[in-house]
Amino acid sequence: EDLTNTWKNTLGFRPFRDTSVDGSYDFDLKQNKVTGEHTLTTNIKAAASQKVGAPFDLKGDFSRVVTEMRHTADDNEKTEDTWTAEAKAKFSKQLDFSVKYQKKDTVELHADPAKNTTSGSVNRNASWTGELTPFWSGSLSYDKTDTLVLDVKTIVETKYSLKTKLDFKAINLTLEPTYDITIKEDLVKPESSDIRDFKTRLAYKILSTRTIEAKFDHTYGRKTDSLLANIQRTDSTNANVAWKDPFPGWQLSFDAVRSATDTSGDDLAPDITSTFGVKADYKMDQLALSTSYKYDKKSLSDDSENFDAKAGWTAPKWDVSLTYTYNKTFSQVINEGYTISLTFKYNL
């Protein structure tokens, strides 16, 4: 037999138009009547925000989560505190800034003092976003996190990120390159690593009419890690054609996807998967029909194909559907099977 007791409180205060203060206090007590064990969870939150003029927005909050295990073999109490301060300043579409500071502390106290431990982290973040031209936008960010164990700094991770987007609507072309640099210093081993990750996405709408739309996009990625001393390559290509009303009430779509990954120096062939699919839907009054077929061609594992067909009828008070699904895997021993399901639903 289990017994749960829950208590929730919230408070919101608006002393001025641009000032807000919020707080909450919750606790949840779970009691196991058989073993006698108790679990008490307490949540405390407090937040305040202030807008200063048009561009500045200040915010601070504090949260504490306390979890207590009582009447157990190892009675313990875990306290997690999080302090956050954030400031935003938006002067224009081109100048949008934010800075953030967050500190987390976790303290675990046990019946056996030898098991007591503390941990935490300190995060500093700064970012800029802006719309530079009607077709060009970008962002820059800096993020640094210190990890602490027993009040000793063990890991320092710093990340620099650059993102930009070029959207040429007149020719239906979009370019989205991103570049991330992550520097990680392990102060315990000690060792450091430098990870550089570059990705760019190209999207192009080949054709767009009242009934037909054809799209294409490709993502190119290269990632290097100084510790692994290798290059991780990723390439992904998607093509889609959607055709509305080739016949009255019908919609058709054709999809082709190719993804490839490869790591230099591992003596393994690239992992390439190509997927081809077609889907058809039909709807008229209460009748709905749909069917799809997908074939996966893989270089390092077995090929497979999937087919499904569904027919359904919808009435004001009830609806029914019949679904057939077929799966096949092309391995040394071919594995195939199908399922048929009938679903009926009645609405009172």
Side-chain angles (χ1 to χ4, degrees):
E1 182 182 355
D2 294 325
L3 175 64
T4 301
N5 305 273
T6 302
W7 177 277
K8 294 180 179 291
N9 301 270
T10 59
L11 172 66
F13 181 46
R14 304 290 182 270
F16 307 104
R17 184 182 64 179
D18 295 329
T19 305
S20 63
V21 180
D22 297 279
S24 65
Y25 173 81
D26 309 332
F27 81 79
D28 187 87
L29 174 62
K30 295 181 179 180
Q31 299 170 282
N32 189 316
K33 295 293 186 177
V34 177
T35 63
E37 296 180 352
H38 292 184
T39 302
L40 175 63
T41 304
T42 305
N43 285 271
I44 302 172
K45 294 182 180 180
S49 63
Q50 175 68 55
K51 194 169 184 62
V52 182
F56 297 101
D57 195 353
L58 309 178
K59 183 179 180 181
D61 61 70
F62 166 77
S63 68
R64 168 171 288 183
V65 180
V66 182
T67 305
E68 296 181 61
M69 304 297 295
R70 300 176 176 177
H71 312 299
T72 65
D74 179 24
D75 288 356
N76 61 81
E77 178 181 300
K78 182 179 180 181
T79 303
E80 300 171 275
D81 290 342
T82 303
W83 301 84
T84 305
E86 186 175 5
K88 295 182 179 180
K90 186 173 182 179
F91 300 99
S92 64
K93 291 183 178 180
Q94 294 80 23
L95 301 173
D96 191 347
F97 302 94
S98 70
V99 293
K100 182 179 179 181
Y101 176 87
Q102 187 176 76
K103 187 176 187 296
K104 294 184 178 181
D105 291 311
T106 301
V107 179
E108 293 186 40
L109 302 176
H110 295 257
D112 181 3
K115 296 181 179 180
N116 294 349
T117 183
T118 64
S119 61
S121 64
V122 178
N123 175 263
R124 283 85 71 191
N125 176 274
S127 65
W128 162 81
T129 59
E131 297 181 16
L132 304 176
T133 67
F135 62 87
W136 182 22
S137 62
S139 66
L140 286 169
S141 67
Y142 164 83
D143 190 277
K144 184 175 182 179
T145 302
D146 299 339
T147 302
L148 298 93
V149 177
L150 296 175
D151 297 324
V152 177
K153 189 185 298 184
T154 58
I155 296 176
V156 178
E157 184 171 297
T158 307
K159 183 177 180 180
Y160 304 90
S161 180
L162 170 63
K163 298 180 181 180
T164 187
K165 182 178 180 180
L166 298 167
D167 191 1
F168 304 102
K169 296 182 180 180
I171 57 175
N172 298 322
L173 178 67
T174 302
L175 291 173
E176 294 182 79
T178 64
Y179 185 53
D180 296 327
I181 300 175
T182 303
I183 301 172
K184 186 175 181 180
E185 297 179 76
D186 192 324
L187 306 178
V188 178
K189 291 186 178 180
E191 66 179 17
S192 62
S193 64
D194 183 342
I195 301 174
R196 298 173 182 263
D197 190 1
F198 172 77
K199 289 182 181 179
T200 184
R201 176 178 175 266
L202 181 149
Y204 180 54
K205 188 179 290 185
I206 303 172
L207 176 67
S208 181
T209 67
R210 185 178 61 84
T211 58
I212 299 178
E213 184 176 83
K215 299 183 295 184
F216 164 87
D217 71 79
H218 177 76
T219 301
Y220 169 94
R222 294 296 182 268
K223 183 178 180 181
T224 62
D225 189 329
S226 61
L227 286 181
L228 300 177
N230 61 21
I231 301 175
Q232 300 175 34
R233 305 179 180 90
T234 58
D235 291 276
S236 178
T237 305
N238 302 272
N240 169 265
V241 177
W243 190 2
K244 183 180 179 181
D245 292 329
F247 308 103
W250 284 89
Q251 291 192 32
L252 297 178
S253 66
F254 306 89
D255 296 279
V257 180
R258 181 186 183 275
S259 61
T261 60
D262 185 33
T263 302
S264 64
D266 61 2
D267 298 327
L268 296 176
D271 187 2
I272 302 174
T273 299
S274 301
T275 301
F276 308 93
V278 60
K279 184 178 181 181
D281 296 286
Y282 173 77
K283 185 173 178 61
M284 184 182 68
D285 299 328
Q286 285 79 32
L287 177 64
L289 304 174
S290 67
T291 182
S292 66
Y293 174 80
K294 185 175 72 170
Y295 185 87
D296 292 322
K297 182 176 178 59
K298 304 176 182 179
S299 61
L300 299 183
S301 57
D302 298 328
D303 297 349
S304 64
E305 66 177 352
N306 299 272
F307 170 79
D308 69 76
K310 181 179 181 180
W313 184 272
T314 303
K317 287 287 186 179
W318 55 271
D319 58 77
V320 62
S321 63
L322 178 67
T323 305
Y324 170 83
T325 304
Y326 172 79
N327 303 288
K328 184 176 182 180
T329 302
F330 299 90
S331 56
Q332 291 183 350
V333 178
I334 294 179
N335 183 11
E336 59 182 328
Y338 68 89
T339 60
I340 299 176
S341 62
L342 176 66
T343 303
F344 178 79
K345 183 179 179 181
Y346 182 77
N347 303 310
L348 295 177

